[in-house]
Amino acid sequence: MRWATASNPVASNVGPRNWETFHIAQLLPWVDANFRTYAEYDGRAVSGFSMGGFGALKYAAKYYGHFASVSSHSGPASLRRDAGLVTHWANLSSAAVELGGGTVYGAPLWDEVRVSADNPVQRVGSYRNKRVFLVAGTSPDPVNWFDTVNETQVLAGQREFRGTLGAAGIPHEWHEVPGGHFVRPELFRRDLDGIVARLRKA
């Protein structure tokens, strides 16, 4: 999942790209209408890797009643730290790849209300009574700038987020493990077991 695929952008030069609306208002109802699901809080989980991990954290907070479990594997959890480096990256990468120069959060000035609404560390109360599972790497590849920049920000942002969760007394499971910005199958399996245990039984 790229930034633009978890958001309704502030501006798009390639036509409507309202992925957040699509996921929440169209995809979820379609899944519930076509599969044997429990269309309720205790019947749903959201999980993702990298920007998908951010999207999972964002959706779990903004749409509190939709998801009982949220998992972020190497996903950023803080949009404003380090002078908003993650938010700048969201704008630049979406402008270059998906939006034809448009941006997710606005440039040169951000839509501050939107940034605050999407920022996990500013929505910490919305994770109460949810299962929260976080994974970050502690040793990105020093030769690979993409790996280093990504996972360094992920690790710092997840630590900030965990601090806000802890201060609010919100339980969460977290793993800091060797390596950089990649999916760890053993932790994905552990996460999946936790999701199944949290959700309503069939």
Side-chain angles (χ1 to χ4, degrees), residues 131-160:
R131 172 186 174 271
V132 180
F133 186 93
L134 304 166
V135 178
T138 58
S139 52
D141 180 354
V143 178
N144 182 336
W145 71 268
F146 182 82
D147 190 62
T148 298
V149 170
N150 264 295
E151 207 62 15
T152 298
Q153 278 298 307
V154 164
L155 181 61
Q158 284 198 10
R159 285 177 173 173
E160 180 185 351

Side-chain angles (χ1 to χ4, degrees), residues 45-61:
V46 60
S47 177
F49 165 71
S50 190
M51 299 310 179
F54 163 77
L57 290 172
K58 166 186 166 174
Y59 285 171

